[in-house]
Amino acid sequence: MPDPRFTRRGLLAGGAATVAGALSARISERSPSTGGTALAATPPDTTPQTPAGSATEPFHGVRQAGVATLPQAHAVFVGLDLLPGTGREAIGRMMRLLTDDARRLTQGRPALADTEPELAVLPARLTVTFGFGPGLFAAAGLGERRPASVAPLPRFTIDRLEERWTGADLLLQICADDGVTLAHALRMTVKDARAFARVRWTQRGFRRSPVTQAPGLTQHNLLGQLDGTVNPRPGTPDFDRAVWVNDGPEWLRGGTTLVLRRIRAELETWDAADRTAKEFTVGRRLDTGAPLTGRFEHDEPDFDRLTPAGLPVISEYAHIRRAHVKDPGMRIFRRVYNYDEGLTARGHSDCGLLFASYQADVTRQFVPIQRRLAEADLLNEWTTPIGSAVFAVPPGCAEGGWIGETLLS
Amino acid sequence: MPDPRFTRRGLLAGGAATVAGALSARISERSPSTGGTALAATPPDTTPQTPAGSATEPFHGVRQAGVATLPQAHAVFVGLDLLPGTGREAIGRMMRLLTDDARRLTQGRPALADTEPELAVLPARLTVTFGFGPGLFAAAGLGERRPASVAPLPRFTIDRLEERWTGADLLLQICADDGVTLAHALRMTVKDARAFARVRWTQRGFRRSPVTQAPGLTQHNLLGQLDGTVNPRPGTPDFDRAVWVNDGPEWLRGGTTLVLRRIRAELETWDAADRTAKEFTVGRRLDTGAPLTGRFEHDEPDFDRLTPAGLPVISEYAHIRRAHVKDPGMRIFRRVYNYDEGLTARGHSDCGLLFASYQADVTRQFVPIQRRLAEADLLNEWTTPIGSAVFAVPPGCAEGGWIGETLLS
């Protein structure tokens, strides 16, 4: 039985359906008094301030939310570095504080010292997920409990990593379907981390929300590609095997690891290529996402099929061939966001992907794929990794517990 | 009769209800095959890619969309400066191109030379609104048709304006309920403007979407204030009188003017104040938004009421007293977005408001309010205007027409 949290029915009961339901409830409740009058007519003062954004994701559980959770529309990833002298005991205090913030805010309750409690009431499926970078283990004197692959990635030839997007001791990953909710949760949690850490980087992303585009459909990224077709599906045995840590260090069982790569898209030159060239590069159609050997998005690519001229239909260097992993339990789980940070004076975007990859083991799963892509992926011409960080994502906690207790207590 | 576009019923028919409807349609259509299986289960390949984000706002009409339109969740304001030598005829060509982009994209169709047409199919209530700054009139040799108040604002003592957020010849205001839609529309329109102009600034904002928080309810901004209580209501005679140009230059009739102020919020010191001090500053309760003399948000403030000690309950320097305008037809219409741009190393936010104010006449309506606020508003202690720009927002156009034709053709 799949966890009901991750079934369509479960989601719709707890999330989107609540949204739709609350909306219709409001409509029928209020139309008699406002029908035919101006849209923004003064609502009766008795209207409760608990509308559609009240959908929540559970906080407590064996696993942290924010990984298998249906991706929300907005995300911010914050990389923090511990202040000098912040050891195991202090990190534990910080994690208790941050866990308490997350526990409250994700359920639509203000943080303990919330300075804008009114902003907490619409959680909009808020999740707050914590990750531990290599530096945290060192600072806590727990280097021997750090999984070997929670370390800077090997250097890839395609990397043009910038210090300002790379590494960090602690990750806060905050996701919600609403930007105001996100801003408030970000501020409240970072405030409580300040006594222990400084902000190294902040990376904001967006994707289509489950209300804009029906959940379960793959999304187009800013390059126009359908992105994530072969992702393991939450709730399946393949997902559980690929994502959750089932062996290795005891404290991380039920957790996962996260590789966060900031990948700049060279949209100007990408768009100078025609559709045929783009599809040849990716190995899929841009519109349907079907492999060049198939008709539908989820058709299995036929890597052996040849053109009449005897060349592979899906090039040796096509992205989907280079990224292909046969064993579904060895795949990576991508929960990708777009970023778009502004425009140069000449009108060029600074945009790309916040490529968040979750897997049980970075070295076994992520690195071989990345290596094959780095060696020869046509898409490299138009994508440049400019940031990289690796984190252990501890398991979830029970009501009286806190995230990180299995490592730090 | 109010324009049906702006009635609750009209909105729900064309917007949110479509969302809810499409969502339920998908649910009932797909549950039999997917109920009980994993959330992200592979959708059948026959699933049409036309889900909930397909809600549209009309493009053609007497007025441009994006002013009286129920505010969308996301906005980007782009200030452009015309390249040297770009005169009336070239500006006209540019506006024809940009109008065509807006006409297509807002209705869910790709732009003519769209390089990512797949991103155009979910308009998510996209609007693209154009504004003309003082420099455009000069460049077009039409200085005499520039309304006198479409000019840099008088200098206010509270201003700490930064060049990088101030002025511009042309404004693109792009709003949508989806971030991917917004990014795509931004890129396509700016691409077509490039031959004529350079980007001066890009300002991104967000607010609660009509799905998160039921439309018609006032929103809390990042300071925790309910923001926009006394806004004129679209579809009312007061709104029409306050916002739309009914006299003055013939070419601007049916249009409006926009003052865009970037107002930094000093959240760190604001949050050092207690709730009583914050409420005294604003003149309203933070939770309900009720004036300090009332119980409900929309109660009329009683500016004459005194405390037992003989002092005004609503201070002489409270924000709502300084901002108060008796004649509803002389008010300004605020369509405000929050911004939040990142974090300093110490964990302080760079956030505030994109204060977009629409009014028939800047000098008669906006300037007196701003002057009273600048003279003595307690809130000035925690808010700093760091950007300012003024634009004429031309009327809308018919199917064969283009925005700006009344001025430029």
Side-chain angles (χ1 to χ4, degrees):
Chain A
M1 263 289 298
D3 181 336
R5 268 177 66 192
F6 307 131
T7 61
R8 179 179 304 273
R9 214 167 254 165
L11 165 85
L12 291 168
T18 312
V19 171
L23 195 55
S24 350
R26 279 185 91 76
I27 296 163
S28 49
E29 165 196 317
R30 299 182 49 205
S31 318
S33 55
T34 55
T37 67
L39 158 79
T42 309
D45 286 303
T46 50
T47 307
Q49 296 270 344
T50 50
S54 52
T56 56
E57 293 290 342
F59 178 73
H60 297 115
V62 175
R63 286 149 188 171
Q64 287 195 68
V67 179
T69 305
L70 180 82
Q72 299 96 325
H74 302 256
V76 59
F77 297 84
V78 186
L80 296 145
D81 283 342
L82 295 167
L83 296 176
T86 309
R88 177 171 177 168
E89 189 272 329
I91 299 171
R93 271 188 288 128
M94 173 182 70
M95 289 310 302
R96 281 184 183 87
L97 264 172
L98 294 178
T99 299
D100 187 65
D101 289 339
R103 167 183 288 141
R104 292 167 184 272
L105 292 168
T106 57
Q107 304 309 304
R109 291 181 293 135
L112 261 191
D114 206 316
T115 38
E116 278 78 31
E118 285 78 15
L119 298 182
V121 298
L122 294 177
R125 298 205 306 119
L126 176 70
T127 55
V128 181
T129 314
F130 302 96
F132 296 164
L136 184 141
F137 295 86
L142 293 167
E144 84 289 347
R145 298 176 73 180
R146 174 176 61 80
S149 67
V150 175
L153 295 181
R155 191 184 297 252
F156 301 103
T157 50
I158 52 171
D159 288 358
R160 299 290 177 271
L161 301 188
E162 300 175 19
E163 189 70 22
R164 59 178 175 146
W165 304 123
T166 298
D169 297 342
L170 175 69
L171 172 79
L172 304 182
Q173 172 198 303
I174 308 178
C175 303
D177 281 332
D178 185 89
V180 177
T181 301
L182 191 87
H184 179 249
L186 171 63
R187 182 140 190 280
M188 287 304 120
T189 47
V190 167
K191 249 174 138 170
D192 276 340
R194 275 185 206 163
F196 308 91
R198 63 196 293 284
V199 175
R200 187 181 175 93
W201 41 255
T202 313
Q203 307 195 48
R204 290 163 195 276
F206 58 93
R207 45 183 292 140
R208 296 211 186 272
S209 81
V211 174
T212 310
Q213 176 171 326
L217 297 188
T218 315
Q219 301 198 359
H220 286 92
N221 62 26
L222 296 184
L223 290 160
Q225 288 175 264
L226 267 188
D227 197 333
T229 299
V230 297
N231 244 355
R233 311 289 162 189
T236 63
D238 283 342
F239 183 93
D240 291 348
R241 200 153 64 88
V243 174
W244 304 119
V245 173
N246 301 306
D247 47 25
E250 190 71 41
W251 73 269
L252 192 55
R253 304 273 170 97
T256 183
T257 63
L258 164 61
V259 177
L260 179 65
R261 305 269 287 176
R262 188 179 182 90
I263 302 180
R264 195 176 62 209
E266 315 293 350
L267 271 191
E268 293 307 315
T269 51
W270 174 248
D271 283 343
D274 61 22
R275 281 180 85 79
T276 311
K278 288 179 176 180
E279 293 180 342
F280 184 78
T281 297
V282 177
R284 293 187 181 277
R285 304 279 173 215
L286 292 170
D287 50 1
T288 58
L292 296 184
T293 55
R295 285 185 57 204
F296 300 114
E297 180 192 351
H298 293 281
D299 286 353
E300 203 55 45
D302 177 357
F303 291 116
D304 299 326
R305 182 154 344 148
L306 302 178
T307 66
L311 295 169
V313 174
I314 297 173
S315 157
E316 294 295 335
Y317 309 115
H319 182 70
I320 61 163
R321 187 192 289 267
R322 305 300 301 185
H324 185 70
V325 175
K326 256 207 182 105
D327 175 0
M330 287 295 284
R331 290 184 180 157
I332 57 177
F333 176 64
R334 306 161 49 169
R335 199 172 185 273
V336 177
Y337 284 87
N338 304 290
Y339 74 84
D340 188 12
E341 299 284 25
L343 291 166
T344 65
R346 293 182 52 209
H348 295 183
S349 312
D350 174 12
C351 71
L353 299 177
L354 305 180
F355 187 97
S357 167
Y358 305 82
Q359 55 283 305
D361 189 301
V362 174
T363 305
R364 271 193 322 188
Q365 294 167 264
F366 182 89
V367 171
I369 301 173
Q370 182 63 76
R371 192 163 275 144
R372 282 199 307 279
L373 294 176
E375 277 167 9
D377 169 7
L378 292 171
L379 200 55
N380 291 339
E381 183 75 20
W382 298 286
T383 55
T384 310
I386 59 173
S388 185
V390 180
F391 304 95
V393 175
C397 69
E399 271 185 47
W402 48 283
I403 305 293
E405 61 191 352
T406 55
L407 177 69
L408 296 157
S409 63
Chain B
M1 263 292 294
D3 181 337
R5 270 177 65 192
F6 307 129
T7 62
R8 179 178 305 272
R9 215 168 254 167
L11 166 87
L12 291 169
T18 312
V19 171
L23 194 56
S24 350
R26 280 184 90 77
I27 296 163
S28 48
E29 162 198 319
R30 299 184 48 203
S31 321
S33 56
T34 56
T37 68
L39 158 79
T42 310
D45 286 304
T46 50
T47 306
Q49 295 269 344
T50 50
S54 52
T56 56
E57 293 290 343
F59 178 74
H60 297 115
V62 175
R63 285 146 189 173
Q64 287 194 67
V67 179
T69 305
L70 181 81
Q72 298 95 326
H74 301 256
V76 59
F77 297 85
V78 186
L80 297 145
D81 284 341
L82 295 167
L83 297 176
T86 308
R88 176 171 178 169
E89 189 272 331
I91 300 170
R93 272 188 288 129
M94 173 182 70
M95 289 309 302
R96 281 183 183 88
L97 265 172
L98 293 178
T99 299
D100 187 64
D101 289 338
R103 167 185 289 140
R104 291 166 185 273
L105 293 167
T106 57
Q107 305 309 304
R109 291 182 292 135
L112 261 192
D114 206 315
T115 38
E116 278 79 29
E118 285 77 17
L119 299 182
V121 299
L122 294 176
R125 299 204 306 119
L126 175 70
T127 54
V128 181
T129 314
F130 301 96
F132 295 163
L136 184 141
F137 295 87
L142 292 168
E144 83 290 347
R145 297 175 75 178
R146 174 176 60 79
S149 66
V150 175
L153 295 180
R155 191 184 296 253
F156 301 104
T157 50
I158 51 172
D159 288 357
R160 298 291 176 270
L161 301 188
E162 299 175 19
E163 189 70 21
R164 60 179 175 146
W165 304 121
T166 298
D169 297 343
L170 175 69
L171 172 79
L172 304 182
Q173 172 198 304
I174 308 179
C175 303
D177 280 332
D178 186 89
V180 177
T181 301
L182 190 86
H184 179 250
L186 171 64
R187 182 140 190 281
M188 287 304 121
T189 47
V190 166
K191 250 175 139 171
D192 277 338
R194 275 185 205 165
F196 308 92
R198 64 195 294 282
V199 174
R200 188 180 174 94
W201 41 254
T202 313
Q203 307 195 48
R204 290 163 196 277
F206 57 93
R207 45 183 293 142
R208 297 213 186 269
S209 81
V211 173
T212 309
Q213 175 170 327
L217 297 187
T218 315
Q219 301 197 358
H220 286 92
N221 62 26
L222 296 183
L223 290 160
Q225 287 176 267
L226 267 188
D227 197 334
T229 299
V230 296
N231 244 354
R233 312 288 164 192
T236 63
D238 284 342
F239 183 93
D240 291 347
R241 199 153 65 88
V243 174
W244 304 119
V245 173
N246 301 307
D247 47 25
E250 190 71 39
W251 73 269
L252 193 55
R253 305 272 170 97
T256 182
T257 64
L258 164 61
V259 177
L260 179 65
R261 305 269 286 176
R262 187 178 181 90
I263 302 181
R264 195 175 62 210
E266 315 292 352
L267 272 190
E268 293 306 315
T269 50
W270 174 247
D271 283 343
D274 61 22
R275 282 181 83 81
T276 310
K278 287 180 177 181
E279 293 180 341
F280 184 77
T281 297
V282 177
R284 292 186 182 278
R285 304 281 172 213
L286 291 169
D287 51 1
T288 57
L292 296 184
T293 55
R295 286 185 57 204
F296 300 115
E297 181 193 351
H298 292 280
D299 286 353
E300 203 55 44
D302 178 356
F303 292 116
D304 298 326
R305 180 150 351 143
L306 302 178
T307 66
L311 295 169
V313 173
I314 298 173
S315 156
E316 294 295 335
Y317 309 115
H319 182 69
I320 60 161
R321 186 192 289 267
R322 304 301 300 185
H324 186 68
V325 174
K326 257 209 181 103
D327 176 0
M330 286 296 283
R331 290 184 180 157
I332 57 177
F333 176 65
R334 307 162 48 169
R335 199 171 184 274
V336 177
Y337 284 87
N338 304 289
Y339 74 85
D340 188 12
E341 301 282 27
L343 291 166
T344 65
R346 292 183 53 209
H348 295 182
S349 313
D350 174 12
C351 71
L353 299 177
L354 305 180
F355 186 96
S357 166
Y358 305 82
Q359 55 283 306
D361 189 300
V362 174
T363 306
R364 269 193 322 189
Q365 294 166 263
F366 182 89
V367 171
I369 301 172
Q370 182 62 75
R371 193 163 276 145
R372 282 199 306 278
L373 294 176
E375 275 168 18
D377 169 7
L378 292 171
L379 200 55
N380 292 339
E381 183 75 19
W382 298 285
T383 56
T384 311
I386 59 173
S388 184
V390 180
F391 303 95
V393 176
C397 69
E399 271 185 47
W402 47 283
I403 304 294
E405 61 190 352
T406 55
L407 177 69
L408 295 157
S409 65

